[in-house]
Amino acid sequence: MKFDIARGGGSWAETAALARAAADAGVSGLVFTETTQAPWISVAAAATAAPELEFATGVAVAFPRSPMVTAVTSWELAANTRGRFRLGLGTQVRAHVERRYSSEFDHPGPRLKDYVLAVRNCFASFDGGKSLSHEGPYYRLSLLPQAWAPPRHDHGDIKIDISAVGPWMSRMAGEVADGVHVHPLHSLHYLHERLLPALGEGCHRAGRSPAEVDLIVPVFIVAGDTAEERAPLRRRAQEQISFYGSTRAYAFQFDDLGFTGLSAALNERLKANDFDGMRDLITDEVLDHFAVVGRWDEIADMLTARYEGIATRLVSYLAEDSVAMDPTAMARWGEIARALDC
């Protein structure tokens, strides 16, 4: 398994420094989220500083951008990283798409499927294999004069991954995507009983093998040789799990494990701005299902036991926080990366 680090927002210089440190430590790549910043320029900054890394958006918000805009940007990144870039796309939620981005959201699953196919058609036309012609239910692209076509290069086979949680999106990923960005809020039960069966159904529909679809799995890894050392990352994991879990669409994640009502309780505390109360609801029992907690020298074996045969790439959700608190921790993350990729 490859081992990546998730990267949030920050300056170009900070991103470049993180990328160089990650590469020197032996980490496989960086995965860029889209929250306060668009990911594209950060990918470029990281790739300039550490061209040996692999890079992905995990995930870029699709609907506010034309498929052509996304395709052109991805094409340029693939060329300049020499094929070390993969495009991860997601829907975001209705409120953000409609009210923050002023874009269309309705029918997000079918819309994202059409988006992926439209981007693929753009890539094919950039590569010179065919003229641009995409006529889908949501996107129609039919004009690409030669003067506006991006330069051809040798890295046009750009993988497109999508974020998928529910059964419809997971089946769709099996039909059309190269990979799935698994939600950070996941348990082994969810992976085995919900995601993988739905993904397999989609692959069967498309005449594909599930082995053709990569799973990129962000993990809440709480590493440290003592409980005191682990405490800050443990707190961050609890906070993030409680935040994600307060979304009622994810209530099944807890219900499946017998934590019935936990999502509703988290949502109530969220409405009351009781963030400490939210965090306290994520007990050790809950944390064991949604995080990997252990000593530094245990983590690689724990990750292997949990994800071997499932994940193509693991993404450390909390490594950036860890390194910000203690820059020497990057070497420990590198040890984990090398152990997983041996």
Side-chain angles (χ1 to χ4, degrees), residues 229 296 321-330 333:
E229 186 183 354
W296 284 108
D321 296 78
S322 168
V323 173
M325 291 183 289
D326 176 13
T328 66
M330 183 62 85
W333 293 112

Side-chain angles (χ1 to χ4, degrees), residues 259-321:
F259 303 119
T260 307
L262 177 55
S263 181
L266 290 168
N267 189 262
E268 288 175 6
R269 284 162 175 75
L270 178 65
K271 290 178 179 177
N273 292 319
D274 181 10
F275 302 113
D276 289 340
M278 291 176 67
R279 185 186 65 248
D280 291 344
L281 287 175
I282 307 303
T283 63
D284 287 345
E285 185 181 6
V286 176
L287 196 66
D288 283 344
H289 286 283
F290 296 99
V292 173
V293 182
R295 299 191 314 268
W296 284 108
D297 62 0
E298 297 176 315
I299 293 296
D301 288 341
M302 296 172 75
L303 291 170
T304 298
R306 186 175 289 211
Y307 294 107
E308 190 171 37
I310 299 174
T312 308
R313 309 187 75 95
L314 296 178
V315 184
S316 178
Y317 194 99
L318 302 175
E320 185 179 0
D321 296 78

Side-chain angles (χ1 to χ4, degrees), residues 7-296:
R7 172 63 171 159
S11 71
W12 300 350
E14 291 166 341
T15 296
L18 179 71
R20 189 63 258 158
D24 289 343
V27 172
S28 305
L30 296 182
V31 175
F32 291 83
T33 61
E34 180 162 18
T35 51
T36 61
Q37 295 177 202
W40 320 108
I41 300 177
S42 294
V43 173
T48 301
E52 64 268 49
L53 290 179
E54 297 173 69
F55 307 96
T57 54
V59 294
V61 184
F63 303 153
R65 300 179 177 97
S66 157
M68 175 62 74
V69 172
T70 295
V72 168
T73 306
S74 299
W75 190 260
E76 184 175 348
L77 289 171
N80 285 278
T81 61
R82 299 179 183 176
R84 291 175 174 266
F85 172 77
R86 58 192 301 159
L87 172 64
L89 295 168
T91 64
Q92 245 298 349
V93 298
R94 180 184 294 274
H96 282 269
V97 172
E98 293 184 343
R99 295 167 51 200
R100 182 156 69 100
Y101 291 112
S102 188
S103 298
E104 296 291 329
F105 182 80
D106 278 339
H107 310 295
R111 184 182 291 273
L112 185 60
K113 180 179 181 179
D114 192 31
Y115 194 103
V116 169
L117 296 176
V119 171
R120 283 203 198 285
N121 278 326
C122 290
F123 289 160
S125 66
F126 300 165
D127 206 33
K130 65 174 187 177
S131 60
L132 180 62
S133 178
H134 178 82
E135 291 292 330
Y138 302 95
Y139 301 100
R140 289 165 294 282
L141 302 164
S142 59
L143 177 65
L144 186 64
Q146 187 59 40
W148 277 268
R152 292 182 66 184
H153 57 69
D154 295 331
H155 309 291
D157 185 19
I158 303 168
K159 291 186 181 295
I160 303 178
D161 313 314
I162 66 168
S163 60
V165 176
W168 196 99
M169 201 72 83
S170 299
R171 286 192 292 268
M172 187 267 280
E175 293 180 51
V176 305
D178 295 303
V180 174
H181 280 272
V182 177
H183 198 283
L185 184 70
H186 66 266
S187 65
L188 283 179
H189 180 278
Y190 164 77
L191 294 177
H192 286 290
E193 302 300 325
R194 288 186 179 266
L195 176 63
L196 291 175
L199 186 67
E201 288 178 29
C203 289
H204 179 74
R205 288 181 185 177
R208 308 170 70 195
S209 165
E212 296 178 50
V213 184
D214 296 334
L215 259 63
I216 300 101
V217 186
V219 185
F220 298 114
I221 302 173
V222 179
D225 289 331
T226 65
E228 183 180 18
E229 186 183 354
R230 291 190 293 269
L233 291 188
R234 184 180 186 278
R235 181 185 180 94
R236 279 285 294 115
Q238 289 175 296
E239 290 170 348
Q240 202 61 48
I241 291 167
S242 70
F243 174 74
Y244 285 136
S246 68
T247 302
R248 290 174 179 173
Y250 300 152
F252 71 89
Q253 291 272 15
F254 297 133
D255 295 346
D256 283 354
L257 300 171
F259 303 119
T260 307
L262 177 55
S263 181
L266 290 168
N267 189 262
E268 288 175 6
R269 284 162 175 75
L270 178 65
K271 290 178 179 177
N273 292 319
D274 181 10
F275 302 113
D276 289 340
M278 291 176 67
R279 185 186 65 248
D280 291 344
L281 287 175
I282 307 303
T283 63
D284 287 345
E285 185 181 6
V286 176
L287 196 66
D288 283 344
H289 286 283
F290 296 99
V292 173
V293 182
R295 299 191 314 268
W296 284 108

